[in-house]
Amino acid sequence: MLSIETLVTFISISTFLCFLPGPDNILVLSQSAINGCKYGILITIGLCIGLVIHTSLVSLGIAAIIQANTLAFKIIKLFGVFYLIYLAWGAFKAKPIHIKSNTKSFNDTKKFIKKGLFMNLSNPKVIIFFLAFLPQFTTDNTIAISVSLQLLYLGLIFVVIAFIVFTIISYLSGFLNKMISSKPSVQTILNKITSLIFIVLAINLCIDQRLPIV
């Protein structure tokens, strides 16, 4: 199993990243502020279903790649380094987000869940991020569970964290909306911290010579 230290680190970073202003939580925030907390939670359910699908693809995909070709896995690993650097630069240069009001409302519960699901599945960056992020917390210990199960385990933990964080955002939508809109300096600080985290993850991925055991 994964060590307590690894889990604490993973949960801490994942929680911080889930709270950062991004397409998913901005959608939850805006729809909660406009239509009410209930609808933000429905969107969250859809988003998390999408995350489960992405997690499954990553856990099964990486395991298959390692079994078939270690060189291919190393290429994906290198791609992950560059992608994390790209995310770091994007976060460093990001400007404060201003949430626009939307008067459109949906009364159909299924529409909100589908909206969240489509939002997540239509963003290919999610699976790319998982490819770069999750493997860093696996272990090559021979007595540990397989890498595919480790990735699935970590991915599901991320999904649970995302659900909890997005639900909190739904309940605090009014306060958070006001903070994000009226205090862009808060976003700027968070973006800089995010940039640093991505750089650290990129460096760690670059120097990590472990090849997970499937």
Side-chain angles (χ1 to χ4, degrees):
M1 289 296 293
L2 302 174
S3 67
I4 297 298
E5 294 79 6
T6 298
L7 286 176
V8 170
T9 302
F10 177 77
I11 291 172
S12 299
I13 294 176
S14 297
T15 302
F16 179 79
L17 294 177
C18 285
F19 267 114
L20 288 171
D24 287 352
N25 53 22
I26 288 297
L27 176 65
V28 172
L29 175 59
S30 61
Q31 293 299 312
S32 297
I34 295 166
N35 301 293
C37 170
K38 170 187 174 182
Y39 298 102
I41 294 176
L42 290 174
I43 288 177
T44 295
I45 292 173
L47 290 170
C48 288
I49 292 174
L51 288 176
V52 170
I53 294 174
H54 278 126
T55 295
S56 301
L57 291 174
V58 169
S59 61
L60 296 175
I62 288 185
I65 290 173
I66 294 174
Q67 287 178 324
N69 193 328
T70 56
L71 177 60
F73 176 74
K74 291 180 179 179
I75 292 174
I76 288 181
K77 177 179 172 181
L78 184 62
F79 177 77
V81 171
F82 284 111
Y83 182 67
L84 287 170
I85 294 174
Y86 166 77
L87 290 178
W89 177 250
F92 183 79
K93 298 290 290 184
K95 296 180 179 180
I97 299 172
H98 299 283
I99 300 176
K100 298 180 180 180
S101 296
N102 183 3
T103 57
K104 187 176 181 180
S105 179
F106 300 91
N107 296 317
D108 190 343
T109 296
K110 292 181 179 179
K111 285 185 178 180
F112 276 87
I113 295 177
K114 289 178 181 179
K115 187 180 182 71
L117 178 60
F118 179 78
M119 176 73 175
N120 189 271
L121 292 181
S122 64
N123 185 3
K125 292 182 179 179
V126 176
I127 197 166
I128 296 174
F129 172 72
F130 273 13
L131 283 169
F133 180 60
L134 296 182
Q136 297 192 55
F137 299 91
T138 59
T139 177
D140 57 359
N141 192 321
T142 55
I143 63 173
I145 58 178
S146 67
V147 64
S148 58
L149 289 179
Q150 289 182 59
L151 290 169
L152 183 61
Y153 178 56
L154 290 168
L156 292 178
I157 291 176
F158 188 92
V159 172
V160 172
I161 293 172
F163 180 80
I164 294 173
V165 169
F166 290 176
T167 299
I168 292 174
I169 289 174
S170 296
Y171 277 105
L172 300 179
S173 57
F175 170 75
L176 292 175
N177 193 353
K178 182 178 179 181
M179 181 184 73
I180 290 176
S181 299
S182 63
K183 296 182 179 179
S185 59
V186 173
Q187 282 192 64
T188 300
I189 294 172
L190 290 176
N191 285 332
K192 296 299 185 290
I193 295 175
T194 305
S195 179
L196 179 61
I197 289 177
F198 283 142
I199 287 294
V200 171
L201 288 172
I203 293 174
N204 181 69
L205 185 59
C206 186
I207 64 178
D208 189 355
Q209 298 300 316
R210 296 173 304 144
L211 184 62
I213 297 174
V214 179

